[in-house]
Amino acid sequence: MKSRAVQLFSKLNEQLNFQDLEIDDPIQRSESAINIIVNSIEKLKIIFEKEKNKSQEIEIDFFKNIKPKFTSKLIYYNAIFKIETKKPHGGERILKNI
């Protein structure tokens, strides 16, 4: 299970890096990143549920080490989205005055 989770995490990082290069608008970039991360978390949940021989150590490792890597990215991009959507519209002069 751990190797599949690591592969899923590296694929997630690749997709996020591609999105950072591809999309210039920070709001669209963060929306797209949130969608990608949510899909990855759902896949991670499926991987965890399919694991038949779950010991207590495996569950602890999953919830303590593996899952927080994914959710931290979701929290980060969600914060970026909130910051960018609350930013007032205008040029540099307006943004400097704030």
Side-chain angles (χ1 to χ4, degrees):
M1 179 185 79
K2 192 168 186 171
S3 64
R4 288 185 283 174
V6 170
Q7 288 174 347
L8 184 64
F9 188 69
S10 65
K11 184 178 177 183
L12 172 65
N13 282 331
E14 289 175 12
Q15 289 175 336
L16 292 176
N17 289 337
F18 180 74
Q19 289 299 101
D20 286 344
L21 296 174
E22 194 69 25
I23 301 173
D24 290 333
D25 183 35
I27 295 173
Q28 289 178 349
R29 185 181 326 129
S30 58
E31 280 181 338
S32 176
I34 289 169
N35 289 332
I36 291 169
I37 295 166
V38 167
N39 289 335
S40 293
I41 290 174
E42 289 174 4
K43 290 177 186 176
L44 183 67
K45 182 180 176 183
I46 291 169
I47 290 171
F48 181 71
E49 288 175 350
K50 284 184 179 179
E51 185 70 27
K52 294 178 182 172
N53 300 327
K54 286 185 265 190
S55 66
Q56 191 173 13
E57 291 82 21
I58 291 174
E59 286 189 32
I60 291 171
D61 184 51
F62 177 78
F63 288 109
K64 196 172 183 179
N65 298 321
I66 297 171
K67 190 176 178 189
K69 290 180 183 179
F70 289 84
T71 54
S72 66
K73 295 224 180 255
L74 182 62
I75 292 168
Y76 171 76
Y77 281 102
N78 198 14
I80 296 294
F81 179 76
K82 286 180 182 179
I83 290 169
E84 290 294 331
T85 54
K86 290 180 181 180
K87 185 169 67 171
H89 297 289
E92 280 187 36
R93 196 174 119 233
I94 293 173
L95 293 176
K96 282 184 180 180
N97 288 338
I98 295 177

